[in-house]
Amino acid sequence: MEKRLTVIILIFFLVLLFASPVQAWSPRLERADYIISSSFSEIESLQLILNISFDALNEFNSLFHYDGRNFNLQGTWLLNFWQRRDLTTQLRLSAATDFQQPSLAPSLGLGGEFSLGERSYLLYSLDYYLLEDSNRLVYRGGFGLPLVGNSGLTFTVGNSYWSRTGPKFALGIRVQF
């Protein structure tokens, strides 16, 4: 069952990739998020999220996660299906892996951002991992505050695929390119 679901998701990605004309795909590195996630007593993980935009509808996030012992990786295809001036909602198709284990964990979810004014925003995401036995939900919510023209701070609460036991608090720096 796990192999079939992984193959179906990969075929879906390939159909999306080849359904668009080649000239429509112009990948650009849009932003980078540097995040420190912690409980109240200690730092839990360091994360780097790189957002690559292909066109108005397609984006890709790569999450590099280090928890002090292991490096982990998650890739998320973002399909922007609702875009307004102050609201963006995306369908999230993810696959997470731990470099210690050879399998992929696929998920489906929703996420996006809601503008709070000139450059402040709320961000949210909710992912449901399809092949997990317990605690399948991974969530994140928070807000961003501008610092200078192309960067700002993010404050979030949530969990991750690798640590789903409870909410962690995160402080991040977002840099727009």
Side-chain angles (χ1 to χ4, degrees), residues 24-41:
W25 291 84
S26 57
R28 298 178 312 280
L29 181 61
E30 290 287 327
R31 67 179 178 265
D33 291 291
Y34 306 96
I35 302 168
I36 298 172
S37 178
S38 70
S39 60
F40 285 114
S41 60

Side-chain angles (χ1 to χ4, degrees), residues 12-25:
F12 181 72
F13 284 135
L14 290 173
V15 167
L16 287 175
L17 178 68
F18 292 117
S20 300
V22 173
Q23 64 270 22
W25 291 84

Side-chain angles (χ1 to χ4, degrees), residues 32-135:
D33 291 291
Y34 306 96
I35 302 168
I36 298 172
S37 178
S38 70
S39 60
F40 285 114
S41 60
E42 65 180 322
I43 293 177
E44 298 281 332
S45 68
L46 302 174
Q47 301 173 17
L48 171 64
I49 301 173
L50 299 176
N51 178 273
I52 299 169
S53 176
F54 294 98
D55 56 25
L57 299 175
N58 296 288
E59 296 179 33
F60 183 79
N61 275 353
S62 56
L63 167 64
F64 302 93
H65 178 271
Y66 177 67
D67 64 6
R69 295 177 310 276
N70 298 316
F71 286 98
N72 304 306
L73 181 63
Q74 177 180 349
T76 305
W77 197 270
L78 305 169
L79 298 169
N80 298 313
F81 69 89
W82 183 267
Q83 285 187 308
R84 297 287 185 254
R85 201 183 110 224
D86 59 346
L87 175 66
T88 301
T89 303
Q90 304 160 327
L91 176 65
R92 299 170 49 87
L93 304 169
S94 299
T97 187
D98 184 341
F99 284 130
Q100 305 296 325
Q101 301 172 1
S103 64
L104 288 175
S107 73
L108 295 172
L110 289 175
E113 293 183 2
F114 179 74
S115 176
L116 294 176
E118 192 172 315
R119 292 190 350 227
S120 300
Y121 56 91
L122 293 175
L123 58 98
Y124 63 94
S125 66
L126 179 65
D127 295 324
Y128 180 79
Y129 281 85
L130 303 170
L131 303 176
E132 295 301 313
D133 294 331
S134 64
N135 198 5

